Amino acid sequence: MQNCNSKFKNDLKLRAYKFSLNIIKLINGTSSSGVCKIINHQLLRSATSIGANIIEAQAASSKNDFKNFMNHSLKSANETKYWLCLVRDSKMIKLELVDPLLREAIELSKILGASMLRLKGRK
């Protein structure tokens, strides 16, 4: 059981890391002026925070500390969905570039949400 749990944690960590890299690639291909610059900054901050908080959670010193970091990761995933929807709907970036990232943000959010429910004993 521990081995399966460890694999899940490593897979989630890697998935969040790859997601961050893909967000960086997306942002590097966009305009760096005005509104785009501000939105890109917010998107980059929230997207990279997902993986960073997962890493922090795995190094947590207590169960409550772990829950807090995982909760921050979930909040960052939800915020990232917001920014990606804003980018998509404002047509700042081509739809075909944003949609796969939005789907991944939704998936990460669902995984983290399910993990939080489990941690809280609701599942």
Side-chain angles (χ1 to χ4, degrees):
M1 181 65 172
Q2 183 67 15
N3 218 357
C4 183
N5 194 24
S6 179
K7 182 177 174 3
F8 171 77
K9 287 179 183 177
N10 284 332
D11 288 348
L12 181 60
K13 198 168 40 174
L14 181 60
R15 196 166 170 176
Y17 184 80
K18 286 180 179 179
F19 179 70
S20 293
L21 288 175
N22 287 329
I23 291 291
I24 291 167
K25 287 176 191 174
L26 177 77
I27 289 171
N28 275 338
T30 64
S31 171
S32 62
S33 62
V35 174
C36 288
K37 185 176 182 177
I38 294 166
I39 292 174
N40 285 343
H41 175 76
Q42 290 296 112
L43 174 59
L44 180 64
R45 188 193 56 73
S46 65
T48 56
S49 181
I50 299 167
N53 279 296
I54 290 169
I55 297 290
E56 287 293 330
Q58 291 179 350
S61 57
S62 68
K63 189 171 183 173
N64 278 341
D65 204 21
F66 179 81
K67 284 181 190 177
N68 284 334
F69 281 114
M70 290 300 283
N71 192 49
H72 285 298
S73 189
L74 173 59
K75 287 180 177 188
S76 293
N78 288 331
E79 182 181 347
T80 300
K81 290 188 306 185
Y82 172 81
W83 292 116
L84 284 169
C85 286
L86 198 58
V87 165
R88 177 197 63 200
D89 296 343
S90 68
K91 297 176 176 43
M92 283 175 42
I93 301 173
K94 292 179 183 177
L95 189 64
E96 60 268 13
L97 298 174
V98 177
D99 273 352
L101 292 170
L102 181 56
R103 282 193 302 274
E104 181 64 1
I106 291 167
E107 284 296 313
L108 287 168
S109 184
K110 286 179 180 179
I111 292 166
L112 291 163
S115 294
M116 287 306 300
L117 288 174
R118 241 182 133 166
L119 284 168
K120 292 178 180 179
R122 294 185 190 162
K123 206 171 187 183

